[in-house]
Amino acid sequence: MTTATDLPHSNLARYQHVIDGRRVEAASGQRYDSVDPYLGAAWASAADGDAADVDLAVAAARRALDGPWGQLTGFGRAALMRRLGDLIARDADRLAEIETRDTGKLLREMRGQLGTIPQWFSYFSGLADKLEGTTIPGDKPNFLVYTRREPAGVVAAIVPWNSPLLLLCWKLAPALAAGCTMVAKPSDYSPASAVELAALMDEAGFPPGVFNVVTGFGPAVGKALAAHPDVDKIAFTGSAEVARLFQVYAGESNGKQVAVEAGGKSPQLVLADADLPAAASAIAWGIFYNAGQTCNAGSRVIVHNSVRDRLLDEIVRVTERTFKVGDPLDPATVMGPIVDSAQLAKVLGYVRTGVAQGARVVIGGDVVDGNYMAPTVLADVSNSDTVAREEIFGPVLAVIGFDGDADEGVRLANDTDFGLAASVWTRDISLAHKVARRLRAGTVWVNTFDASDVITPFGGFKATGAGRDKSLHALDAYTAVKTTWIDLT
Ligand code: NAD
């Protein structure tokens, strides 16, 4: 079996950049440690890259695009992608454990994610040979005009730590199907699995340079990639704050394409006739799953005041019964740690600000132990309070009551800078459709939360983003349409 770590005499797993099919140290020689959030100690070290490494990786990606990879047909690309999916399935348990060490996320959750990744390659490999152009019947009879869908080019993928391989593969699978090459920059919190993926791509037979990995920190590696004149497209997932930087970097360089998928403050709108036990369960899972460190966490509940107290009672019951904290490798654990102590302090700060602004702590509100934050429900929140406006990225639910009809609930739900996801809970199916239509979010769920699969688009409105991952829309985003005119005279 191919693995990316190869220094058995070291206590720490050692990860290097992967450039042009070779594992290399940073040009500067610098390394940094990746900390296991559960143990609070380094478990791996990674190359600490900078612009010099980015230059080499982008040059390798360009050579691959202009070389054998660029000559492959869609059939050829599809065959390699299917092989890669099989190798990921073979190594899923090992990769899941690596991601748990890097991120503190539950092993069973990472196994679940790894279990779906082969599907991405299977779905998009099925599209690699279907990138058809058109002939255009224009009003100039002496011309033949046709279009081709060509690869967007060299893609820079910059991804966050909270689902490292899954989010990277959301970008990689359609990019490969389209014939692009890639330089990936995983989060500095989670460098390992992208390097492991590069080893599997090598084993699958992808030519060198098709997929390169430069590990390190955002301001050095991410910025250099975004600003690089030979990168054609940026595919970013991360916080809204950093997403805005990437839009600026892109504009200031060669005006490259930029797609950003950023954070959220997703509302769960509970109307007076909702099935409260079902809503409460989905609300608790929607915020406490992965300790709230999920882009589409349902962090804001907008509930009709006539059912608010009953809903709160149900949420508390589900939370106390379900969300046991513990070792992320233990299958009995339901909630893992916060990724690091700085983020934990930030989450606690939000809770204190919420209380200072008038919120009532219904459950939780403090640290449990180590890097663990108690699942926390804040009631009596106003939609203008900080905890209702900003993405906390921790297990903190803000509950906002409203009076009046569904219009008022929709108004509050839409009164946010973000637009990633939203749900509505009601037994009235025609009202559900009307509300779903009016919610300004990339995904709307009715009487459920967090359902997803590879073929449905995912992305957001407003500060959450520009562009969509998954589905046929994602494939479009990695192709460029070229029009050719032939004079027949
Ligand atoms: P982040 O924005 O801090 O980092 C994302 C990536 O950008 C990382 O690789 C990081 O190293 C890099 N980066 C950070 N600062 C940079 C800078 N100044 N210049 C260039 N690159 C920089 O996000 P995070 O903390 O890793 O992840 C959590 C965020 O990601 C949350 O906001 C979450 O909502 C969001 N997210 C969104 C989605 C989605 O699909 N919409 C999915 C998962 C996570």
Side-chain angles (χ1 to χ4, degrees):
M1 178 192 303
T2 308
T3 63
T5 57
D6 55 5
L7 291 180
H9 56 273
S10 166
N11 286 333
L12 298 186
R14 270 176 83 86
Y15 289 96
Q16 295 169 298
H17 300 323
V18 182
I19 298 176
D20 215 5
R22 287 192 299 274
R23 293 173 209 162
V24 292
E25 287 297 330
S28 67
Q30 298 296 307
R31 303 188 65 76
Y32 75 96
D33 288 345
S34 178
V35 171
D36 176 332
Y38 172 63
L39 298 175
W43 80 278
S45 81
D48 185 1
D50 63 20
D53 306 307
V54 166
D55 281 347
L56 294 173
V58 172
R62 176 64 59 190
R63 277 195 302 279
L65 192 66
D66 293 341
W69 174 252
Q71 306 303 316
L72 272 184
T73 62
F75 288 93
R77 295 196 301 275
L80 291 173
M81 291 173 70
R82 283 194 296 272
R83 217 173 292 152
L84 176 61
D86 290 345
L87 294 177
I88 293 171
R90 181 196 72 188
D91 285 6
D93 281 354
R94 182 178 66 82
L95 294 167
E97 198 167 324
I98 285 169
E99 294 217 305
T100 292
R101 302 294 301 275
D102 246 0
T103 65
K105 289 190 66 161
L106 302 188
L107 181 60
R108 63 181 181 165
E109 184 186 341
M110 302 327 287
R111 281 192 175 141
Q113 288 192 356
L114 261 301
T116 68
I117 290 176
Q119 271 184 14
W120 303 100
F121 291 98
S122 151
Y123 174 78
F124 283 105
S125 70
L127 298 171
D129 54 8
K130 297 174 187 66
L131 287 164
E132 296 174 353
T134 51
T135 49
I136 298 178
D139 68 349
K140 295 182 170 57
N142 289 332
F143 286 91
L144 170 65
V145 185
Y146 65 88
T147 61
R148 277 167 49 81
R149 290 174 71 191
E150 299 191 348
V154 173
V155 176
I158 296 96
V159 287
W161 67 268
N162 68 328
S163 293
L165 215 43
L166 184 80
L167 295 171
L168 178 55
C169 292
W170 284 10
K171 302 184 188 315
L172 180 62
L176 293 175
C180 296
T181 59
M182 182 174 278
V183 180
K185 192 215 101 50
S187 165
D188 42 286
Y189 287 108
S190 54
S193 57
V195 179
E196 298 281 358
L197 178 66
L200 294 184
M201 289 185 70
D202 189 28
E203 188 179 348
F206 282 86
V210 171
F211 179 66
N212 308 274
V213 182
V214 180
T215 57
F217 292 82
V221 180
K223 186 173 178 184
L225 267 172
H228 201 291
D230 210 22
V231 167
D232 299 297
K233 178 183 167 78
I234 297 169
F236 170 86
T237 299
S239 62
E241 196 186 342
V242 178
R244 276 193 291 276
L245 291 179
F246 274 90
Q247 288 168 319
V248 173
Y249 300 151
E252 285 176 354
S253 63
N254 56 352
K256 52 180 70 79
Q257 281 186 51
V258 55
V260 295
E261 293 287 351
K265 195 74 198 176
S266 300
Q268 295 230 41
L269 175 55
V270 182
L271 301 182
D273 67 340
D275 175 343
L276 296 181
S281 173
I283 287 168
W285 279 99
I287 181 65
F288 300 135
Y289 182 67
N290 190 24
Q293 301 168 116
T294 309
C295 55
N296 58 320
S299 52
R300 212 162 43 105
V301 164
I302 317 269
V303 54
H304 196 269
N305 277 329
S306 62
V307 293
R308 186 196 63 171
D309 289 347
R310 274 163 52 212
L311 182 75
L312 280 171
D313 288 347
E314 290 283 351
I315 294 172
V316 169
R317 223 186 326 275
V318 176
T319 303
E320 285 177 341
R321 196 176 54 215
T322 313
F323 290 92
K324 307 285 178 242
V325 302
D327 180 349
L329 291 170
D330 180 346
T333 302
V334 185
M335 207 174 93
I338 300 293
V339 70
D340 70 359
S341 54
Q343 177 61 17
L344 180 67
K346 199 168 151 194
V347 174
L348 267 177
Y350 272 116
V351 172
R352 290 195 186 115
T353 303
V355 170
Q357 290 178 348
R360 170 169 57 95
V361 178
V362 178
I363 186 172
D366 217 334
V367 173
V368 187
D369 189 18
N371 270 358
Y372 286 86
M373 177 75 195
T376 297
V377 177
L378 301 177
D380 305 342
V381 174
S382 154
N383 200 48
S384 56
D385 290 351
T386 308
V387 291
R389 313 249 21 126
E390 297 183 12
E391 185 186 44
I392 297 174
F393 222 55
V396 180
L397 180 68
V399 179
I400 298 144
F402 73 96
D403 293 312
D405 59 15
D407 287 351
E408 176 58 5
V410 171
R411 187 190 69 73
L412 286 165
N414 285 340
D415 179 13
T416 172
D417 295 335
F418 299 102
L420 184 55
S423 75
V424 54
W425 293 85
T426 175
R427 288 186 163 95
D428 179 338
I429 191 65
S430 67
L431 181 60
H433 280 293
K434 286 184 200 152
V435 169
R437 210 177 271 185
R438 289 176 52 207
L439 287 169
R440 288 271 296 153
T443 297
V444 175
W445 291 291
V446 175
N447 295 332
T448 186
F449 195 78
D450 213 15
S452 72
D453 62 25
V454 58
I455 63 172
T456 47
F458 187 77
F461 292 0
K462 301 196 266 182
T464 294
R468 293 291 179 271
D469 281 321
K470 312 199 218 176
S471 77
L472 296 174
H473 295 277
L475 184 66
D476 281 346
Y478 291 94
T479 63
V481 175
K482 178 187 280 177
T483 306
T484 303
W485 290 76
I486 300 174
D487 188 339
L488 301 177
T489 57

